[in-house]
Amino acid sequence: MASSERQTKRTTFAGRVARALAIFCVDEIVVYDDSPVDQRPGDVDQDAYTGDVAPAHFLEHLLNYLETPPFMRKSLFPLHPNLRSQGLLPNLEMPHHPHKDEWLSYREGITEGPARNGKGTIVDIGMPEKATINDTIPPKTRVTLKMPDGGKGPAEPVHPTAPRTGSGYFWGYTVRKASTLSEVLTGCPYEEGYDLSIGTSERGLPLSRAFPDHTEADFKHLIVVFGGPRGLEYAAMNDAELSSMSISGSRTKELFDHWVNVLPNQGSRGIRTDEAMLIALAGLRRLWDSS
């Protein structure tokens, strides 16, 4: 991200990352900063363009924008210099980005105001007809709704993970920003942590050797970590916590359960991060989907 000189290139990079991760149904994206801490800017004006001074914030901003259903973006994302080239971003076509003629048992919506009778709240769900809920929720609040059977009656607000856990839908991703590589792992939002971690490096094992059995792996939360142009070793070198543990260079692999090379014998000198994501997830997909 930081090596791109123009906003248009940074914007299209964010779009390629989001598109790759949406295709493979990734639930969580962690954006981390691998630069030396003493070279980072102090106070960053987040109301200004941040692609050059705080690329991690820029990427986080655009990924959140892309995850949001298009019909509610104007309400949730005010005009911002980071979004100046948003017309270059792709359509992610995720299940919670609805087509007007498509029926799903769940919907994402944005609250508009009180219902006409003063009881409950009107919710725009991106359909010709708006939904009504019995709860009173402030305007411009994003909500996940369980739609009534047969389309009759009020919808029910549910937890944002309900479409995934209740019906198996891929329902978009969350975005978390980490200041260092170690925080990627220690800042895990799941109480039991990541029970399977994979680091990617050109010095790792080929996937065929790291996972010789073509079977689904036993895990609840898998994390795959990618480095920038200088690799995960560079991120470890600039992480004070890891340095205090003497973890850097070749010892970086000790942070992960598996240390893999997603494409041995590559034909190009370098593989961009967004390219590595597509290659790695295609190769690793059998760990969670044997179909």
Side-chain angles (χ1 to χ4, degrees):
M1 177 67 75
S3 61
S4 299
E5 296 181 358
R6 297 182 180 180
Q7 180 171 359
T8 52
K9 286 189 175 182
R10 292 176 177 135
T11 298
T12 54
F13 171 80
R16 291 194 301 272
V17 168
R19 183 81 181 156
L21 300 182
I23 287 171
F24 286 96
C25 303
V26 170
D27 295 308
E28 181 196 21
I29 302 174
V30 187
V31 180
Y32 71 96
D33 195 334
D34 68 353
S35 66
V37 175
D38 58 359
Q39 294 181 17
R40 300 177 191 178
D43 294 329
V44 175
D45 182 3
Q46 296 189 355
D47 291 327
Y49 174 65
T50 60
D52 49 357
V53 295
H57 173 268
F58 177 84
L59 182 56
E60 176 194 30
H61 192 174
L62 265 65
L63 290 175
N64 276 318
Y65 177 85
L66 280 161
E67 189 278 336
T68 302
F71 72 90
M72 63 173 75
R73 288 174 182 167
K74 273 190 177 180
S75 298
L76 297 180
F77 289 85
L79 291 173
H80 193 286
N82 284 349
L83 300 174
R84 191 175 296 131
S85 301
Q86 56 86 23
L88 299 174
L89 294 170
N91 191 341
L92 300 191
E93 291 282 358
M94 294 183 285
H96 70 298
H97 292 192
H99 293 284
K100 291 189 175 181
D101 58 351
E102 181 182 37
W103 171 257
L104 291 176
S105 54
Y106 293 91
R107 288 279 181 182
E108 287 295 289
I110 183 166
T111 57
E112 292 193 339
R116 290 183 180 179
N117 59 8
K119 297 179 181 180
T121 306
I122 300 293
V123 183
D124 183 0
I125 56 172
M127 299 288 285
E129 294 186 9
K130 297 177 181 179
T132 303
I133 58 176
N134 292 328
D135 306 66
T136 300
I137 300 177
K140 295 187 178 181
T141 301
R142 179 173 168 176
V143 292
T144 304
L145 302 181
K146 176 75 170 65
M147 303 305 293
D149 294 334
K152 296 181 179 180
E156 177 190 358
V158 295
H159 193 277
T161 61
R164 161 76 92 173
T165 58
S167 299
Y169 290 117
F170 169 56
W171 210 248
Y173 53 75
T174 60
V175 184
R176 174 167 66 89
K177 189 152 69 76
S179 60
T180 60
L181 174 59
S182 59
E183 193 180 320
V184 171
L185 301 171
T186 61
C188 176
Y190 309 108
E191 185 176 349
E192 59 272 37
Y194 302 113
D195 51 351
L196 181 59
S197 60
I198 299 173
T200 59
S201 170
E202 62 183 11
R203 288 161 287 280
L205 286 176
L207 291 178
S208 58
R209 290 177 57 194
F211 302 101
D213 298 326
H214 289 260
T215 57
E216 291 188 20
D218 182 18
F219 65 88
K220 289 186 177 180
H221 302 291
L222 160 69
I223 185 168
V224 184
V225 185
F226 299 88
R230 302 187 191 183
L232 288 172
E233 295 90 343
Y234 179 73
M237 179 181 71
N238 293 321
D239 187 321
E241 182 174 347
L242 296 181
S243 295
S244 69
M245 301 164 59
S246 299
I247 293 179
S248 63
S250 61
R251 289 197 63 193
T252 305
K253 64 182 180 182
E254 297 176 18
L255 296 171
F256 306 97
D257 298 317
H258 297 277
W259 187 244
V260 302
N261 182 350
V262 300
L263 189 64
N265 306 316
Q266 63 199 50
S268 175
R269 290 187 181 88
I271 298 177
R272 298 195 308 260
T273 302
D274 55 305
E275 296 170 333
M277 288 178 177
L278 280 170
I279 296 166
L281 293 173
L284 293 168
R285 187 170 185 264
R286 59 187 169 85
L287 296 181
W288 62 85
D289 187 344
S290 59
S291 60

